[in-house]
Structure formats: C-alpha cells, structure tokens
Amino acid sequence: MKKTTSNLYPSSWTPTIVASIVVIGSILSIIALSITLFIFYYFNCLKCSRLKVHRNLSIALLLNLLMLIVTSSPVLLNFSYKNMDWLCKGVLSVQLYSALCSINWMFIEGLLLHSRVTVHIFRQDAPFKLYYCIGWVLPAISIVSWCLLMRQYHDTPCWSGYGDLPYIWVITGPMLAALLVNSIFLIDIIRVLVTKRRANFANETSQMRCSLYDGANQQKMCPWPHAVQPPLITCSRKKAIKATALLFPLLGIPHLLFCINPKDNGTMEEAYMIVNAFVKSSQGLFVSVLYCFMNNEVQTALRKAYMRAVTRRNPNHRYTCRTRGLSQTSGTYLSHSDGNILADPRHKLTSSSKTVLRMKELPSRGELSTARSEYMTVIF
C-alpha cells in the first residue's frame, strides 16, 4: 500500500505546521545567506581561507534550503512534482546531495578550527583541493552510488520507502561519521579554551596579588596559593557554556539529536517533526549571523565602505568614528588583518575579557613580509 503525505505524520494538521515552519524558516535563512554571500564576494579584503570555507558552507546550505522549500511545497500548494517519477527521483537525489554537502562543510569548519586551536595539522595554507573533494566530490560519489543501488534493487515510484532500506547507509553513514568527529572536535576545543582561560586568569591574578603584597614585584616569594579559586571555576564554566552554545549549531551537532525518529504516532513524533523542521530551516540564519554579521572583519569592511560612500558624496565632510578596537562580540573570528594592529595600544587584547588563541597559517618566515597571515582566532 502506498503511503500518502498525511500517513507520514501522526496528526492531520502536523504536515501543514511542519511545512509552514520549513518554508518560513528557509526563506529567512535564504535571505540572510544571500546577503552573506554578497558581502563575502563583494569585498576583496574578505579573501582568507577561513572565509572561503564559510562561503562554501553558505552555498551548500543555500542549496539545501531551496530543496527543503521544493519538497515542502506539495503540502502547502495544490500541485505536486511527485506525479512525474523522474522529476521526483531527481528532486530527492539533489536534496540528499545538498544535505550531505552541508554536513561535510560543517565537518571542514570543525577540522579547520580544531587544527588552528589545538594541533597545527596543516603547517601551510589550508589545502582547498582536499576541502573541495570532501565538501563537493565525496557527496556526489555517495549519491550516485545510492541512486545506482536504488535503481537496481528498489526501482519503485519516487523510491518510496527508501529510508527503511539498508542502502540509505551509503548516505547517512558519512553524515553520522562527520557529525561524530565534529562532536569530538567540539569537546577538545572547549577543553583547550577552558585550560588556557584558567592559566591566563590565574597568571594575572597571581601577578596582581604579588605586586600588591609589598609594593614590589616578588612573584617568586609570593605566598599566593596556586589552587584554582571558586570565582575562576565559575568564570571558566560560564565561558565553556558560552563557547559550546556558539559552536554547537555551527558544527551541525543538533543533527545528531534528530537521527532517530520516535515513530510513536503521538506527541513525541509531533514534537520531533516540529523541532527538526525548525532546526533544519534556521541553520542558515545561525551561520549568517555568527559567521558574517557578527564577524569583526565584515563589520570593519562595511564601516570602511560606508565611510568611503560618505566621503564621495561630501568630500568636505569629516567623518569621525570611535574605533572599538577588536570586537568583543561573541563568536567573532579575527584574521586576515595587518600584524601591526597589535602594536597599537588602542587595540590591546586582555585575556581577562576573552580568550585569544594564536594560530599560524603561513609560518614560513620568508613569506611573512608578502603574505597576510591569519594570526589569531577569538572564540569568546
């Protein structure tokens, strides 16, 4: 017996609610991602390797969101593409391909961040040939293999019931592997951040107490205890929670929460469908806000473009702007900047306000004078 759309949901109203959430969230995410891609491609100063990864992730998410709208349209509209078998199979294949590409580029985001924060896997510039292979080529190989298997062993109309067959592991297997590795990256990144945060905070507090001990710098004779104090533990926990909340959606970890559908034909399945629809459709919005709109480099580029536009319109007008230095916004990633910025006392970073992790993209000394290196990453 062929299942209809209404048979896939526990209640008759659930398909409409889920489809509405998907369409509205996807439209908002598409608008945000379109603005993000325009900014990334328009400004020539935003050309570092990390932002290239952001661009590819945005493209993959944009394609996935478009396919989510297409697959949700039969529920809200009176026409359906499922009447044509070849079109239905094509839409399903492109949807699965875009979903796998999105997960793979999230894995690349985690790999790049982990390699910069913890261990320097790539001593030279980021290997984008490898990244493109992981992000675009491997998903295509998986999808083509799955399509051939389905055509050979399960050539039903629109490949109905494909999720219950073992061949789906050709697609879901790489997805789960990438998300599990990203989970390990997340735990290790948080561990390194908290460790460095505690070390920096303890160093500053110890130096302050020693200098106040007798008015002189007596760090060696200072009786300040080396044990971690309760305020430091509380601060480290807050920072760890903040960094986890930031990186959790960006690395695709929420997808692990929706790997298993309860399928109880009741409240649990309804909640699963609604929350899953919200998470999938809002992923692009999260990426745009945290990777673009709250990015210090993007804010600087937009500010300079605005100042140039004001100067062109009124050359005699003097535009004054208070420089904020390095952005204190959570989730701001700093790179592709002139190394002289750290020499300016207005731009000094204190470890008491946020944790700064040095990272080297082009460590060779001969290239430092000509190359613009990515010199740090700020997580919180």
Side-chain angles (χ1 to χ4, degrees):
M1 180 178 178
K2 185 178 178 180
K3 290 184 178 181
T4 61
T5 304
S6 59
N7 297 134
L8 299 175
Y9 298 90
S11 301
S12 58
W13 55 268
T14 307
T16 305
I17 297 295
V18 171
S20 301
I21 293 174
V22 168
V23 170
I24 295 173
S26 297
I27 291 175
L28 294 176
S29 294
I30 287 172
I31 294 173
L33 286 173
S34 300
I35 297 173
T36 297
L37 289 172
F38 173 78
I39 292 173
F40 283 160
Y41 280 103
Y42 181 79
F43 293 100
N44 293 325
C45 59
L46 304 175
K47 298 297 182 184
C48 66
S49 60
R50 178 176 45 79
L51 294 180
K52 283 184 181 178
V53 176
H54 295 348
R55 286 203 300 265
N56 282 274
L57 174 60
S58 299
I59 293 172
L61 287 173
L62 189 63
L63 178 60
N64 188 30
L65 290 166
L66 289 173
M67 297 312 300
L68 284 178
I69 293 178
V70 171
T71 54
S72 301
S73 59
V75 180
L76 301 176
L77 303 176
N78 294 326
F79 72 94
S80 175
Y81 61 87
K82 296 185 178 181
N83 298 327
M84 293 179 284
D85 188 53
W86 64 272
L87 181 59
C88 180
K89 291 178 179 178
V91 169
L92 178 60
S93 301
V94 175
Q95 180 192 8
L96 293 176
Y97 172 73
S98 62
L100 186 52
C101 288
S102 302
I103 297 296
N104 281 17
W105 279 107
M106 289 176 189
F107 164 74
I108 295 171
E109 291 276 4
L111 176 64
L112 183 63
L113 182 59
H114 183 263
S115 66
R116 301 279 173 83
V117 170
T118 56
V119 291
H120 297 283
I121 298 176
F122 306 118
R123 298 292 180 180
Q124 298 294 327
D125 195 8
F128 266 88
K129 289 183 179 179
L130 176 62
Y131 289 170
Y132 289 140
C133 182
I134 295 174
W136 300 113
V137 178
L138 290 183
I141 295 174
S142 297
I143 295 299
V144 170
S145 302
W146 178 77
C147 290
L148 293 176
L149 288 172
M150 292 296 292
R151 183 177 180 181
Q152 182 71 23
Y153 301 106
H154 192 73
D155 195 14
T156 58
C158 206
W159 286 329
S160 58
Y162 68 91
D164 299 326
L165 300 174
Y167 312 121
I168 194 62
W169 284 99
V170 176
I171 300 173
T172 57
M175 283 185 178
L176 289 176
L179 293 174
L180 289 174
V181 174
N182 264 5
S183 302
I184 297 173
F185 286 162
L186 176 63
I187 294 171
D188 200 26
I189 290 169
I190 299 302
R191 177 189 63 80
V192 172
L193 293 177
V194 171
T195 302
K196 288 182 178 290
R197 176 74 183 178
R198 288 183 177 179
N200 293 339
F201 189 87
N203 249 357
E204 290 185 356
T205 307
S206 178
Q207 291 177 10
M208 185 184 301
R209 291 297 182 94
C210 288
S211 62
L212 294 176
Y213 181 61
D214 61 353
N217 188 10
Q218 299 183 4
Q219 295 182 17
K220 294 183 179 179
M221 304 298 296
C222 180
W224 176 248
H226 298 285
V228 178
Q229 300 301 311
L232 174 58
I233 297 176
T234 304
C235 182
S236 298
R237 286 176 180 173
K238 289 181 179 179
K239 294 297 181 181
I241 293 172
K242 190 175 181 180
T244 304
L246 167 68
L247 296 175
F248 197 77
L250 298 181
L251 298 182
I253 312 300
H255 290 283
L256 285 175
L257 304 177
F258 303 100
C259 291
I260 301 176
N261 187 337
K263 293 184 178 180
D264 62 346
N265 291 324
T267 307
M268 289 296 295
E269 188 172 2
E270 290 178 357
Y272 168 86
M273 293 288 185
I274 293 173
V275 177
N276 190 25
F278 174 78
V279 171
K280 284 184 176 180
S281 60
S282 62
Q283 188 78 46
L285 193 59
F286 278 112
V287 168
S288 296
V289 171
L290 296 175
Y291 277 164
C292 180
F293 304 147
M294 294 173 64
N295 188 298
N296 180 265
E297 296 165 83
V298 173
Q299 293 174 1
T300 302
L302 292 174
R303 192 179 302 116
K304 289 180 179 179
Y306 174 74
M307 292 171 65
R308 286 195 299 268
V310 170
T311 305
R312 287 195 200 99
R313 292 182 180 180
N314 189 3
N316 298 323
H317 176 71
R318 297 184 62 184
Y319 180 78
T320 58
C321 176
R322 293 183 59 189
T323 57
R324 296 180 300 164
L326 298 178
S327 175
Q328 303 294 317
T329 306
S330 301
T332 302
Y333 296 84
L334 309 176
S335 66
H336 199 82
S337 303
D338 190 358
N340 295 329
I341 190 173
L342 294 179
D344 192 341
R346 294 177 301 171
H347 299 286
K348 285 185 178 179
L349 284 172
T350 59
S351 57
S352 60
S353 61
K354 57 170 65 174
T355 299
V356 179
L357 302 176
R358 299 279 179 174
M359 68 182 184
K360 298 178 181 178
E361 181 170 328
L362 298 172
S364 116
R365 294 184 179 178
E367 297 175 348
L368 289 178
S369 58
T370 57
R372 305 174 72 179
S373 62
E374 296 185 0
Y375 64 88
M376 67 177 63
T377 297
V378 178
I379 303 298
F380 51 83

